[in-house]
Short mmCIF file of all heavy atoms in Angstrom, two decimals:
data_model
loop_
_atom_site.label_atom_id
_atom_site.label_comp_id
_atom_site.label_asym_id
_atom_site.label_seq_id
_atom_site.Cartn_x
_atom_site.Cartn_y
_atom_site.Cartn_z
N GLY A 1087 -96.36 33.90 -73.43
CA GLY A 1087 -96.91 33.02 -74.33
C GLY A 1087 -97.85 32.03 -73.69
O GLY A 1087 -98.36 31.05 -74.28
N GLN A 1088 -98.22 32.25 -72.42
CA GLN A 1088 -99.12 31.32 -71.70
C GLN A 1088 -100.49 31.89 -71.48
O GLN A 1088 -101.28 31.25 -70.89
CB GLN A 1088 -98.46 31.01 -70.30
CG GLN A 1088 -97.18 30.15 -70.42
CD GLN A 1088 -97.45 28.82 -71.02
OE1 GLN A 1088 -98.32 28.11 -70.76
NE2 GLN A 1088 -96.57 28.47 -71.93
N ARG A 1089 -100.75 33.09 -71.90
CA ARG A 1089 -102.04 33.70 -71.65
C ARG A 1089 -103.25 32.89 -72.13
O ARG A 1089 -104.21 32.72 -71.41
CB ARG A 1089 -102.13 35.07 -72.31
CG ARG A 1089 -103.45 35.82 -72.05
CD ARG A 1089 -103.41 37.23 -72.69
NE ARG A 1089 -104.67 37.88 -72.41
CZ ARG A 1089 -105.72 37.88 -73.13
NH1 ARG A 1089 -105.77 37.09 -74.30
NH2 ARG A 1089 -106.88 38.45 -72.80
N PHE A 1090 -103.11 32.37 -73.41
CA PHE A 1090 -104.20 31.58 -73.93
C PHE A 1090 -104.59 30.42 -72.98
O PHE A 1090 -105.77 30.18 -72.67
CB PHE A 1090 -103.82 30.98 -75.32
CG PHE A 1090 -104.82 30.05 -75.86
CD1 PHE A 1090 -106.02 30.53 -76.47
CD2 PHE A 1090 -104.63 28.69 -75.82
CE1 PHE A 1090 -106.92 29.69 -77.00
CE2 PHE A 1090 -105.55 27.81 -76.36
CZ PHE A 1090 -106.69 28.27 -76.96
N TRP A 1091 -103.57 29.70 -72.52
CA TRP A 1091 -103.83 28.51 -71.62
C TRP A 1091 -104.28 28.98 -70.29
O TRP A 1091 -105.05 28.27 -69.69
CB TRP A 1091 -102.58 27.62 -71.59
CG TRP A 1091 -102.19 27.17 -72.93
CD1 TRP A 1091 -101.13 27.56 -73.62
CD2 TRP A 1091 -102.89 26.24 -73.73
NE1 TRP A 1091 -101.11 26.96 -74.86
CE2 TRP A 1091 -102.19 26.11 -74.95
CE3 TRP A 1091 -104.11 25.47 -73.57
CZ2 TRP A 1091 -102.55 25.22 -76.01
CZ3 TRP A 1091 -104.49 24.69 -74.61
CH2 TRP A 1091 -103.77 24.61 -75.78
N ASP A 1092 -103.78 30.11 -69.76
CA ASP A 1092 -104.24 30.62 -68.48
C ASP A 1092 -105.68 30.97 -68.48
O ASP A 1092 -106.44 30.66 -67.60
CB ASP A 1092 -103.37 31.84 -68.03
CG ASP A 1092 -101.96 31.44 -67.64
OD1 ASP A 1092 -101.67 30.25 -67.31
OD2 ASP A 1092 -101.14 32.33 -67.64
N ILE A 1093 -106.08 31.68 -69.56
CA ILE A 1093 -107.50 32.09 -69.66
C ILE A 1093 -108.38 30.87 -69.73
O ILE A 1093 -109.48 30.84 -69.14
CB ILE A 1093 -107.66 32.99 -70.95
CG1 ILE A 1093 -106.91 34.29 -70.82
CG2 ILE A 1093 -109.15 33.31 -71.20
CD1 ILE A 1093 -107.33 35.23 -69.71
N ARG A 1094 -108.01 29.86 -70.43
CA ARG A 1094 -108.78 28.60 -70.48
C ARG A 1094 -108.87 27.97 -69.17
O ARG A 1094 -109.97 27.48 -68.76
CB ARG A 1094 -108.20 27.68 -71.54
CG ARG A 1094 -108.42 28.01 -72.94
CD ARG A 1094 -107.79 27.07 -73.92
NE ARG A 1094 -108.05 25.70 -73.63
CZ ARG A 1094 -109.08 24.97 -74.15
NH1 ARG A 1094 -109.83 25.53 -75.01
NH2 ARG A 1094 -109.24 23.75 -73.84
N ARG A 1095 -107.75 27.89 -68.49
CA ARG A 1095 -107.71 27.20 -67.22
C ARG A 1095 -108.54 27.94 -66.12
O ARG A 1095 -109.25 27.34 -65.27
CB ARG A 1095 -106.30 27.08 -66.67
CG ARG A 1095 -106.12 26.28 -65.35
CD ARG A 1095 -104.67 26.17 -64.96
NE ARG A 1095 -104.08 27.44 -64.68
CZ ARG A 1095 -102.96 27.88 -65.39
NH1 ARG A 1095 -102.48 27.26 -66.36
NH2 ARG A 1095 -102.51 29.07 -65.04
N TRP A 1096 -108.60 29.24 -66.23
CA TRP A 1096 -109.44 30.08 -65.27
C TRP A 1096 -110.91 30.13 -65.69
O TRP A 1096 -111.68 30.90 -65.07
CB TRP A 1096 -108.90 31.50 -65.17
CG TRP A 1096 -107.39 31.48 -64.66
CD1 TRP A 1096 -106.82 30.64 -63.85
CD2 TRP A 1096 -106.44 32.42 -64.98
NE1 TRP A 1096 -105.44 30.97 -63.59
CE2 TRP A 1096 -105.25 32.12 -64.34
CE3 TRP A 1096 -106.43 33.58 -65.82
CZ2 TRP A 1096 -104.11 32.85 -64.40
CZ3 TRP A 1096 -105.27 34.35 -65.88
CH2 TRP A 1096 -104.12 33.95 -65.21
N ASN A 1097 -111.31 29.43 -66.68
CA ASN A 1097 -112.71 29.47 -67.18
C ASN A 1097 -113.23 30.80 -67.63
O ASN A 1097 -114.37 31.20 -67.29
CB ASN A 1097 -113.62 28.77 -66.19
CG ASN A 1097 -113.42 27.31 -66.06
OD1 ASN A 1097 -113.02 26.68 -66.94
ND2 ASN A 1097 -113.59 26.84 -64.83
N GLN A 1098 -112.27 31.61 -68.20
CA GLN A 1098 -112.71 32.99 -68.67
C GLN A 1098 -112.58 33.08 -70.21
O GLN A 1098 -112.73 34.16 -70.76
CB GLN A 1098 -111.81 34.02 -68.04
CG GLN A 1098 -111.85 34.09 -66.55
CD GLN A 1098 -110.87 35.09 -65.92
OE1 GLN A 1098 -109.94 35.50 -66.58
NE2 GLN A 1098 -111.11 35.42 -64.64
N ALA A 1099 -112.42 31.93 -70.83
CA ALA A 1099 -112.16 31.95 -72.27
C ALA A 1099 -113.34 32.59 -73.08
O ALA A 1099 -113.04 33.32 -73.98
CB ALA A 1099 -111.87 30.56 -72.77
N ILE A 1100 -114.55 32.20 -72.81
CA ILE A 1100 -115.62 32.60 -73.61
C ILE A 1100 -115.78 34.16 -73.53
O ILE A 1100 -115.92 34.93 -74.50
CB ILE A 1100 -116.96 31.91 -73.29
CG1 ILE A 1100 -116.82 30.48 -73.67
CG2 ILE A 1100 -118.13 32.57 -73.95
CD1 ILE A 1100 -117.98 29.59 -73.28
N SER A 1101 -115.67 34.70 -72.31
CA SER A 1101 -115.81 36.19 -72.10
C SER A 1101 -114.63 36.86 -72.67
O SER A 1101 -114.78 38.04 -73.15
CB SER A 1101 -116.08 36.49 -70.62
OG SER A 1101 -114.96 36.13 -69.85
N GLU A 1102 -113.43 36.40 -72.54
CA GLU A 1102 -112.22 37.13 -72.98
C GLU A 1102 -112.07 37.04 -74.45
O GLU A 1102 -111.71 38.05 -75.12
CB GLU A 1102 -111.00 36.50 -72.34
CG GLU A 1102 -110.82 36.78 -70.87
CD GLU A 1102 -110.42 38.18 -70.58
OE1 GLU A 1102 -109.64 38.76 -71.45
OE2 GLU A 1102 -110.86 38.76 -69.59
N PHE A 1103 -112.34 35.91 -75.09
CA PHE A 1103 -112.09 35.69 -76.57
C PHE A 1103 -113.32 36.11 -77.39
O PHE A 1103 -113.29 35.99 -78.62
CB PHE A 1103 -111.63 34.31 -76.85
CG PHE A 1103 -110.42 33.91 -76.15
CD1 PHE A 1103 -110.19 32.70 -75.56
CD2 PHE A 1103 -109.30 34.79 -76.07
CE1 PHE A 1103 -109.03 32.30 -74.96
CE2 PHE A 1103 -108.17 34.47 -75.38
CZ PHE A 1103 -107.95 33.24 -74.90
N SER A 1104 -114.39 36.59 -76.73
CA SER A 1104 -115.61 37.04 -77.47
C SER A 1104 -115.58 38.55 -77.73
O SER A 1104 -116.52 39.07 -78.37
CB SER A 1104 -116.85 36.65 -76.77
OG SER A 1104 -117.02 35.30 -76.67
N VAL A 1105 -114.52 39.23 -77.33
CA VAL A 1105 -114.36 40.64 -77.52
C VAL A 1105 -113.40 40.88 -78.64
O VAL A 1105 -112.34 40.28 -78.78
CB VAL A 1105 -113.79 41.27 -76.28
CG1 VAL A 1105 -113.53 42.78 -76.46
CG2 VAL A 1105 -114.70 41.02 -75.07
N ALA A 1106 -113.79 41.67 -79.61
CA ALA A 1106 -112.93 41.92 -80.85
C ALA A 1106 -111.66 42.63 -80.40
O ALA A 1106 -111.72 43.65 -79.67
CB ALA A 1106 -113.72 42.74 -81.86
N PRO A 1107 -110.53 42.18 -80.84
CA PRO A 1107 -109.22 42.81 -80.42
C PRO A 1107 -109.08 44.16 -81.22
O PRO A 1107 -109.61 44.36 -82.27
CB PRO A 1107 -108.20 41.84 -80.90
CG PRO A 1107 -108.83 41.01 -81.97
CD PRO A 1107 -110.32 41.00 -81.63
N GLN A 1108 -108.39 45.06 -80.56
CA GLN A 1108 -108.14 46.37 -81.13
C GLN A 1108 -106.62 46.61 -81.24
O GLN A 1108 -105.86 46.09 -80.48
CB GLN A 1108 -108.74 47.55 -80.33
CG GLN A 1108 -110.25 47.53 -80.29
CD GLN A 1108 -110.81 48.68 -79.65
OE1 GLN A 1108 -110.28 49.21 -78.67
NE2 GLN A 1108 -111.96 49.17 -80.06
N GLY A 1109 -106.18 47.35 -82.24
CA GLY A 1109 -104.83 47.68 -82.43
C GLY A 1109 -104.57 48.87 -83.29
O GLY A 1109 -105.54 49.52 -83.75
N TRP A 1110 -103.39 49.24 -83.46
CA TRP A 1110 -103.07 50.40 -84.31
C TRP A 1110 -103.15 50.07 -85.78
O TRP A 1110 -103.04 48.85 -86.20
CB TRP A 1110 -101.62 50.89 -83.98
CG TRP A 1110 -101.53 51.62 -82.69
CD1 TRP A 1110 -102.57 52.22 -82.03
CD2 TRP A 1110 -100.38 51.77 -81.93
NE1 TRP A 1110 -102.14 52.73 -80.87
CE2 TRP A 1110 -100.71 52.51 -80.79
CE3 TRP A 1110 -99.09 51.39 -82.08
CZ2 TRP A 1110 -99.82 52.84 -79.82
CZ3 TRP A 1110 -98.17 51.77 -81.10
CH2 TRP A 1110 -98.54 52.48 -79.95
N ASN A 1111 -103.34 51.01 -86.60
CA ASN A 1111 -103.48 50.81 -88.09
C ASN A 1111 -102.05 50.71 -88.59
O ASN A 1111 -101.40 51.70 -88.96
CB ASN A 1111 -104.19 52.00 -88.69
CG ASN A 1111 -104.42 51.88 -90.10
OD1 ASN A 1111 -104.15 50.87 -90.69
ND2 ASN A 1111 -104.76 52.98 -90.77
N VAL A 1112 -101.56 49.48 -88.76
CA VAL A 1112 -100.19 49.26 -89.19
C VAL A 1112 -99.97 49.56 -90.70
O VAL A 1112 -98.91 49.73 -91.17
CB VAL A 1112 -99.70 47.80 -88.94
CG1 VAL A 1112 -99.72 47.60 -87.45
CG2 VAL A 1112 -100.61 46.78 -89.58
N GLY A 1113 -101.07 49.73 -91.43
CA GLY A 1113 -101.04 50.07 -92.79
C GLY A 1113 -101.05 51.59 -93.07
O GLY A 1113 -101.09 52.05 -94.21
N GLY A 1114 -101.06 52.36 -92.02
CA GLY A 1114 -101.16 53.81 -92.07
C GLY A 1114 -99.88 54.38 -92.78
O GLY A 1114 -98.80 53.99 -92.40
N GLU A 1115 -100.05 55.35 -93.61
CA GLU A 1115 -98.93 55.97 -94.29
C GLU A 1115 -98.30 57.12 -93.47
O GLU A 1115 -97.08 57.31 -93.52
CB GLU A 1115 -99.35 56.61 -95.69
CG GLU A 1115 -99.91 55.58 -96.61
CD GLU A 1115 -98.82 54.62 -97.16
OE1 GLU A 1115 -97.70 55.18 -97.33
OE2 GLU A 1115 -99.13 53.49 -97.44
N THR A 1116 -99.06 57.83 -92.63
CA THR A 1116 -98.54 58.89 -91.82
C THR A 1116 -98.62 58.47 -90.35
O THR A 1116 -99.25 57.55 -90.01
CB THR A 1116 -99.32 60.20 -92.11
OG1 THR A 1116 -100.69 59.94 -91.62
CG2 THR A 1116 -99.34 60.57 -93.54
N VAL A 1117 -98.00 59.36 -89.52
CA VAL A 1117 -98.10 59.10 -88.11
C VAL A 1117 -99.54 59.19 -87.59
O VAL A 1117 -99.87 58.34 -86.76
CB VAL A 1117 -97.16 60.19 -87.40
CG1 VAL A 1117 -97.36 60.01 -85.81
CG2 VAL A 1117 -95.71 59.95 -87.76
N GLU A 1118 -100.27 60.11 -88.07
CA GLU A 1118 -101.68 60.25 -87.59
C GLU A 1118 -102.48 59.00 -87.97
O GLU A 1118 -103.32 58.56 -87.25
CB GLU A 1118 -102.33 61.52 -88.24
CG GLU A 1118 -101.79 62.82 -87.70
CD GLU A 1118 -100.40 63.19 -88.30
OE1 GLU A 1118 -100.05 62.65 -89.44
OE2 GLU A 1118 -99.70 63.92 -87.72
N GLU A 1119 -102.24 58.50 -89.18
CA GLU A 1119 -102.99 57.32 -89.63
C GLU A 1119 -102.58 56.05 -88.82
O GLU A 1119 -103.32 55.25 -88.51
CB GLU A 1119 -102.76 56.98 -91.12
CG GLU A 1119 -103.40 58.04 -92.05
CD GLU A 1119 -103.07 57.78 -93.48
OE1 GLU A 1119 -102.35 56.92 -93.79
OE2 GLU A 1119 -103.68 58.61 -94.36
N PHE A 1120 -101.24 55.96 -88.56
CA PHE A 1120 -100.71 54.81 -87.84
C PHE A 1120 -101.34 54.70 -86.42
O PHE A 1120 -101.70 53.59 -86.04
CB PHE A 1120 -99.20 54.83 -87.78
CG PHE A 1120 -98.63 53.72 -86.98
CD1 PHE A 1120 -98.38 52.51 -87.61
CD2 PHE A 1120 -98.30 53.85 -85.70
CE1 PHE A 1120 -97.85 51.44 -86.94
CE2 PHE A 1120 -97.76 52.80 -84.95
CZ PHE A 1120 -97.51 51.57 -85.58
N TYR A 1121 -101.44 55.81 -85.74
CA TYR A 1121 -101.91 55.81 -84.33
C TYR A 1121 -103.41 55.81 -84.20
O TYR A 1121 -103.91 56.04 -83.14
CB TYR A 1121 -101.23 56.86 -83.55
CG TYR A 1121 -99.75 56.62 -83.28
CD1 TYR A 1121 -98.72 57.35 -83.89
CD2 TYR A 1121 -99.41 55.64 -82.39
CE1 TYR A 1121 -97.43 57.08 -83.69
CE2 TYR A 1121 -98.09 55.36 -82.15
CZ TYR A 1121 -97.14 56.08 -82.85
OH TYR A 1121 -95.81 55.81 -82.54
N GLN A 1122 -104.11 55.56 -85.25
CA GLN A 1122 -105.55 55.44 -85.14
C GLN A 1122 -105.85 54.02 -84.69
O GLN A 1122 -105.41 53.07 -85.25
CB GLN A 1122 -106.24 55.72 -86.49
CG GLN A 1122 -106.26 57.15 -86.92
CD GLN A 1122 -106.93 57.39 -88.24
OE1 GLN A 1122 -107.25 56.46 -88.91
NE2 GLN A 1122 -107.13 58.64 -88.54
N VAL A 1123 -106.70 53.89 -83.68
CA VAL A 1123 -107.12 52.54 -83.19
C VAL A 1123 -108.26 51.99 -84.12
O VAL A 1123 -109.14 52.69 -84.45
CB VAL A 1123 -107.64 52.73 -81.74
CG1 VAL A 1123 -108.17 51.35 -81.24
CG2 VAL A 1123 -106.67 53.26 -80.86
N ARG A 1124 -108.00 50.77 -84.40
CA ARG A 1124 -108.98 50.10 -85.29
C ARG A 1124 -109.35 48.78 -84.67
O ARG A 1124 -108.48 48.18 -83.97
CB ARG A 1124 -108.49 49.90 -86.76
CG ARG A 1124 -107.09 49.21 -86.86
CD ARG A 1124 -106.69 49.18 -88.25
NE ARG A 1124 -107.41 48.12 -88.99
CZ ARG A 1124 -106.92 47.29 -89.81
NH1 ARG A 1124 -105.63 47.31 -90.15
NH2 ARG A 1124 -107.65 46.39 -90.39
N THR A 1125 -110.56 48.33 -84.95
CA THR A 1125 -111.06 47.08 -84.42
C THR A 1125 -110.75 45.99 -85.47
O THR A 1125 -111.09 46.16 -86.66
CB THR A 1125 -112.51 47.19 -84.09
OG1 THR A 1125 -112.76 48.15 -83.13
CG2 THR A 1125 -113.05 45.83 -83.51
N LEU A 1126 -110.13 44.90 -85.05
CA LEU A 1126 -109.85 43.80 -85.99
C LEU A 1126 -111.02 42.84 -85.95
O LEU A 1126 -111.94 42.87 -85.20
CB LEU A 1126 -108.62 43.13 -85.46
CG LEU A 1126 -107.36 44.03 -85.29
CD1 LEU A 1126 -106.23 43.24 -84.72
CD2 LEU A 1126 -106.99 44.65 -86.63
N GLU A 1127 -110.95 41.91 -86.91
CA GLU A 1127 -112.04 40.92 -87.10
C GLU A 1127 -112.15 39.96 -85.97
O GLU A 1127 -111.01 39.47 -85.44
CB GLU A 1127 -111.85 40.16 -88.37
CG GLU A 1127 -112.94 39.20 -88.73
CD GLU A 1127 -112.70 38.54 -90.10
OE1 GLU A 1127 -112.02 39.13 -90.95
OE2 GLU A 1127 -113.23 37.43 -90.27
N LEU A 1128 -113.30 39.67 -85.51
CA LEU A 1128 -113.49 38.78 -84.34
C LEU A 1128 -113.70 37.32 -84.84
O LEU A 1128 -114.55 37.06 -85.67
CB LEU A 1128 -114.76 39.21 -83.61
CG LEU A 1128 -115.15 38.30 -82.39
CD1 LEU A 1128 -114.09 38.32 -81.38
CD2 LEU A 1128 -116.43 38.84 -81.81
N ALA A 1129 -112.89 36.43 -84.42
CA ALA A 1129 -113.08 35.03 -84.65
C ALA A 1129 -114.04 34.46 -83.71
O ALA A 1129 -113.97 34.66 -82.51
CB ALA A 1129 -111.66 34.26 -84.59
N PRO A 1130 -114.97 33.58 -84.18
CA PRO A 1130 -116.00 33.06 -83.28
C PRO A 1130 -115.37 32.15 -82.21
O PRO A 1130 -114.46 31.34 -82.56
CB PRO A 1130 -116.94 32.28 -84.24
CG PRO A 1130 -116.18 32.07 -85.44
CD PRO A 1130 -115.17 33.15 -85.54
N TYR A 1131 -115.79 32.24 -80.97
CA TYR A 1131 -115.32 31.41 -79.96
C TYR A 1131 -116.48 31.03 -79.04
O TYR A 1131 -117.22 31.93 -78.59
CB TYR A 1131 -114.29 32.12 -79.10
CG TYR A 1131 -113.40 31.27 -78.29
CD1 TYR A 1131 -112.21 30.69 -78.81
CD2 TYR A 1131 -113.76 30.95 -76.96
CE1 TYR A 1131 -111.43 29.86 -78.07
CE2 TYR A 1131 -112.96 30.12 -76.20
CZ TYR A 1131 -111.77 29.58 -76.75
OH TYR A 1131 -110.98 28.76 -76.07
N SER A 1132 -116.70 29.75 -78.89
CA SER A 1132 -117.85 29.27 -78.13
C SER A 1132 -117.50 28.12 -77.19
O SER A 1132 -116.30 27.82 -77.04
CB SER A 1132 -118.95 28.81 -79.14
OG SER A 1132 -118.52 27.71 -79.88
N LEU A 1133 -118.49 27.49 -76.54
CA LEU A 1133 -118.25 26.46 -75.67
C LEU A 1133 -117.55 25.24 -76.31
O LEU A 1133 -116.78 24.55 -75.77
CB LEU A 1133 -119.57 26.00 -75.00
CG LEU A 1133 -119.51 24.86 -73.99
CD1 LEU A 1133 -118.62 25.32 -72.84
CD2 LEU A 1133 -120.90 24.47 -73.49
N LYS A 1134 -117.90 25.06 -77.64
CA LYS A 1134 -117.27 23.98 -78.46
C LYS A 1134 -115.73 24.16 -78.46
O LYS A 1134 -115.04 23.18 -78.42
CB LYS A 1134 -117.79 24.02 -79.82
CG LYS A 1134 -117.19 22.99 -80.73
CD LYS A 1134 -117.73 22.99 -82.11
CE LYS A 1134 -117.13 21.97 -83.02
NZ LYS A 1134 -117.49 22.03 -84.33
N ASP A 1135 -115.23 25.42 -78.44
CA ASP A 1135 -113.85 25.68 -78.50
C ASP A 1135 -113.20 25.48 -77.14
O ASP A 1135 -111.98 25.29 -77.06
CB ASP A 1135 -113.53 27.06 -78.99
CG ASP A 1135 -114.12 27.25 -80.39
OD1 ASP A 1135 -113.89 26.37 -81.26
OD2 ASP A 1135 -114.83 28.28 -80.60
N VAL A 1136 -113.94 25.58 -76.11
CA VAL A 1136 -113.39 25.32 -74.72
C VAL A 1136 -113.23 23.91 -74.39
O VAL A 1136 -112.22 23.49 -73.91
CB VAL A 1136 -114.30 26.05 -73.68
CG1 VAL A 1136 -113.85 25.75 -72.26
CG2 VAL A 1136 -114.34 27.58 -73.87
N LEU A 1137 -114.25 23.16 -74.74
CA LEU A 1137 -114.27 21.66 -74.43
C LEU A 1137 -113.95 20.89 -75.75
O LEU A 1137 -114.73 20.80 -76.61
CB LEU A 1137 -115.60 21.25 -73.88
CG LEU A 1137 -116.11 21.95 -72.61
CD1 LEU A 1137 -117.48 21.55 -72.30
CD2 LEU A 1137 -115.15 21.64 -71.48
N TRP A 1138 -112.71 20.44 -75.86
CA TRP A 1138 -112.27 19.72 -77.02
C TRP A 1138 -112.91 18.34 -77.00
O TRP A 1138 -113.24 17.81 -76.03
CB TRP A 1138 -110.81 19.74 -77.07
CG TRP A 1138 -110.25 21.04 -77.41
CD1 TRP A 1138 -110.87 22.15 -77.86
CD2 TRP A 1138 -108.84 21.46 -77.19
NE1 TRP A 1138 -109.99 23.20 -77.93
CE2 TRP A 1138 -108.75 22.87 -77.60
CE3 TRP A 1138 -107.73 20.87 -76.70
CZ2 TRP A 1138 -107.61 23.61 -77.55
CZ3 TRP A 1138 -106.56 21.55 -76.69
CH2 TRP A 1138 -106.43 22.91 -77.11
N PRO A 1139 -112.91 17.70 -78.27
CA PRO A 1139 -113.49 16.38 -78.36
C PRO A 1139 -112.72 15.28 -77.59
O PRO A 1139 -111.55 15.34 -77.51
CB PRO A 1139 -113.59 16.11 -79.79
CG PRO A 1139 -112.42 16.93 -80.39
CD PRO A 1139 -112.37 18.16 -79.50
N ILE A 1140 -113.46 14.28 -77.16
CA ILE A 1140 -112.96 13.10 -76.55
C ILE A 1140 -112.75 12.10 -77.65
O ILE A 1140 -113.65 11.96 -78.53
CB ILE A 1140 -113.77 12.53 -75.47
CG1 ILE A 1140 -114.00 13.54 -74.31
CG2 ILE A 1140 -113.24 11.23 -74.89
CD1 ILE A 1140 -115.05 13.15 -73.32
N SER A 1141 -111.66 11.45 -77.75
CA SER A 1141 -111.32 10.46 -78.80
C SER A 1141 -112.47 9.46 -78.89
O SER A 1141 -112.91 8.94 -77.89
CB SER A 1141 -109.99 9.82 -78.53
OG SER A 1141 -109.87 8.75 -79.41
N GLN A 1142 -112.85 9.12 -80.10
CA GLN A 1142 -113.89 8.14 -80.28
C GLN A 1142 -113.51 6.78 -79.72
O GLN A 1142 -114.35 6.03 -79.19
CB GLN A 1142 -114.36 8.05 -81.72
CG GLN A 1142 -115.50 7.18 -81.97
CD GLN A 1142 -116.75 7.60 -81.30
OE1 GLN A 1142 -117.09 8.80 -81.24
NE2 GLN A 1142 -117.46 6.65 -80.66
N THR A 1143 -112.19 6.52 -79.83
CA THR A 1143 -111.68 5.27 -79.26
C THR A 1143 -111.99 5.16 -77.73
O THR A 1143 -112.51 4.13 -77.22
CB THR A 1143 -110.18 5.13 -79.47
OG1 THR A 1143 -109.96 5.24 -80.90
CG2 THR A 1143 -109.69 3.81 -79.02
N ASN A 1144 -111.71 6.23 -77.00
CA ASN A 1144 -111.94 6.25 -75.63
C ASN A 1144 -113.43 6.20 -75.27
O ASN A 1144 -113.91 5.56 -74.32
CB ASN A 1144 -111.42 7.61 -74.93
CG ASN A 1144 -109.95 7.61 -75.02
OD1 ASN A 1144 -109.28 6.57 -75.10
ND2 ASN A 1144 -109.37 8.81 -75.02
N VAL A 1145 -114.32 6.85 -76.04
CA VAL A 1145 -115.75 6.74 -75.82
C VAL A 1145 -116.30 5.29 -76.11
O VAL A 1145 -117.07 4.80 -75.34
CB VAL A 1145 -116.49 7.79 -76.71
CG1 VAL A 1145 -118.00 7.60 -76.64
CG2 VAL A 1145 -116.12 9.16 -76.38
N SER A 1146 -115.67 4.64 -77.06
CA SER A 1146 -116.12 3.27 -77.43
C SER A 1146 -115.69 2.31 -76.32
O SER A 1146 -116.36 1.34 -75.97
CB SER A 1146 -115.50 2.82 -78.74
OG SER A 1146 -115.97 3.63 -79.81
N VAL A 1147 -114.49 2.54 -75.74
CA VAL A 1147 -113.95 1.65 -74.69
C VAL A 1147 -114.71 1.81 -73.40
O VAL A 1147 -115.04 0.83 -72.70
CB VAL A 1147 -112.45 1.88 -74.51
CG1 VAL A 1147 -111.95 1.10 -73.32
CG2 VAL A 1147 -111.73 1.37 -75.75
N ASN A 1148 -115.00 3.09 -73.05
CA ASN A 1148 -115.64 3.35 -71.74
C ASN A 1148 -117.09 3.95 -72.03
O ASN A 1148 -117.23 5.00 -72.42
CB ASN A 1148 -114.78 4.38 -70.94
CG ASN A 1148 -115.36 4.64 -69.59
OD1 ASN A 1148 -116.42 4.27 -69.25
ND2 ASN A 1148 -114.56 5.32 -68.83
N ASN A 1149 -118.04 3.09 -71.75
CA ASN A 1149 -119.44 3.53 -72.02
C ASN A 1149 -119.93 4.64 -71.07
O ASN A 1149 -120.96 5.23 -71.33
CB ASN A 1149 -120.37 2.33 -71.89
CG ASN A 1149 -120.12 1.34 -72.92
OD1 ASN A 1149 -119.69 1.71 -74.03
ND2 ASN A 1149 -120.34 0.05 -72.71
N ASN A 1150 -119.22 4.90 -70.01
CA ASN A 1150 -119.59 6.00 -69.10
C ASN A 1150 -119.25 7.42 -69.63
O ASN A 1150 -119.72 8.40 -69.09
CB ASN A 1150 -118.96 5.74 -67.72
CG ASN A 1150 -119.50 4.56 -67.10
OD1 ASN A 1150 -120.64 4.25 -67.16
ND2 ASN A 1150 -118.64 3.82 -66.37
N LEU A 1151 -118.36 7.40 -70.67
CA LEU A 1151 -117.98 8.74 -71.16
C LEU A 1151 -119.05 9.28 -72.12
O LEU A 1151 -119.68 8.47 -72.84
CB LEU A 1151 -116.66 8.62 -71.95
CG LEU A 1151 -115.42 8.36 -71.15
CD1 LEU A 1151 -114.20 8.17 -72.05
CD2 LEU A 1151 -115.15 9.54 -70.19
N VAL A 1152 -119.22 10.58 -72.06
CA VAL A 1152 -120.08 11.28 -72.98
C VAL A 1152 -119.35 12.27 -73.71
O VAL A 1152 -118.59 13.04 -73.13
CB VAL A 1152 -121.28 11.93 -72.17
CG1 VAL A 1152 -122.20 12.67 -73.03
CG2 VAL A 1152 -122.07 10.84 -71.37
N GLN A 1153 -119.56 12.31 -75.02
CA GLN A 1153 -118.84 13.32 -75.85
C GLN A 1153 -119.15 14.78 -75.40
O GLN A 1153 -120.34 15.07 -75.04
CB GLN A 1153 -119.16 13.10 -77.36
CG GLN A 1153 -118.30 13.92 -78.31
CD GLN A 1153 -116.89 13.59 -78.15
OE1 GLN A 1153 -116.13 14.25 -77.48
NE2 GLN A 1153 -116.41 12.57 -78.91
N ASN A 1154 -118.16 15.67 -75.48
CA ASN A 1154 -118.38 16.99 -75.09
C ASN A 1154 -119.42 17.71 -76.10
O ASN A 1154 -119.48 17.33 -77.24
CB ASN A 1154 -117.09 17.74 -75.16
CG ASN A 1154 -116.20 17.40 -73.93
OD1 ASN A 1154 -116.70 17.18 -72.85
ND2 ASN A 1154 -114.88 17.39 -74.12
N PRO A 1155 -120.13 18.73 -75.56
CA PRO A 1155 -121.14 19.42 -76.42
C PRO A 1155 -120.51 20.05 -77.69
O PRO A 1155 -119.37 20.56 -77.64
CB PRO A 1155 -121.66 20.56 -75.53
CG PRO A 1155 -121.17 20.20 -74.16
CD PRO A 1155 -120.00 19.31 -74.23
N GLY A 1156 -121.20 19.82 -78.80
CA GLY A 1156 -120.73 20.48 -80.07
C GLY A 1156 -119.85 19.50 -80.87
O GLY A 1156 -119.59 19.71 -82.01
N TRP A 1157 -119.50 18.37 -80.29
CA TRP A 1157 -118.63 17.43 -81.03
C TRP A 1157 -119.45 16.21 -81.25
O TRP A 1157 -119.37 15.27 -81.68
CB TRP A 1157 -117.36 17.11 -80.31
CG TRP A 1157 -116.52 18.37 -80.09
CD1 TRP A 1157 -116.49 19.16 -79.06
CD2 TRP A 1157 -115.65 18.93 -81.08
NE1 TRP A 1157 -115.62 20.16 -79.23
CE2 TRP A 1157 -115.03 20.05 -80.50
CE3 TRP A 1157 -115.31 18.65 -82.32
CZ2 TRP A 1157 -114.16 20.87 -81.13
CZ3 TRP A 1157 -114.41 19.46 -83.02
CH2 TRP A 1157 -113.85 20.58 -82.40
#
């Protein structure tokens, strides 16, 4: 259950999460249909998702802080 956080920590999130996941066809009625590999929908993942926003309160208190890109 730590893969998501490991990928983020290793700075590989954009390359890893920009690939559409593949899996078996769980809606298949027969064995042949079930074991067909299908590509699932890709959720967009960008730099905005890697760098989360800094609280506006913190930015207001410390003028040296700059909000992360996309926020």
Side-chain angles (χ1 to χ4, degrees):
Q1088 295 296 316
R1089 180 179 183 268
F1090 174 78
W1091 301 109
D1092 289 341
I1093 296 296
R1094 285 178 50 93
R1095 184 176 63 244
W1096 298 331
N1097 293 325
Q1098 297 175 347
I1100 294 176
S1101 62
E1102 288 287 326
F1103 298 140
S1104 296
V1105 177
Q1108 293 185 328
W1110 288 337
N1111 181 11
V1112 295
E1115 299 288 329
T1116 65
V1117 174
E1118 291 80 19
E1119 290 175 356
F1120 178 82
Y1121 287 109
Q1122 288 181 350
V1123 177
R1124 55 183 283 223
T1125 302
L1126 305 175
E1127 186 177 332
L1128 177 63
Y1131 199 87
S1132 64
L1133 182 61
K1134 179 181 177 183
D1135 301 312
V1136 174
L1137 301 173
W1138 290 344
I1140 300 171
S1141 170
Q1142 185 59 44
T1143 306
N1144 292 337
V1145 174
S1146 297
V1147 170
N1148 186 347
N1149 294 331
N1150 294 322
L1151 288 178
V1152 177
Q1153 189 60 266
N1154 284 326
W1157 298 98

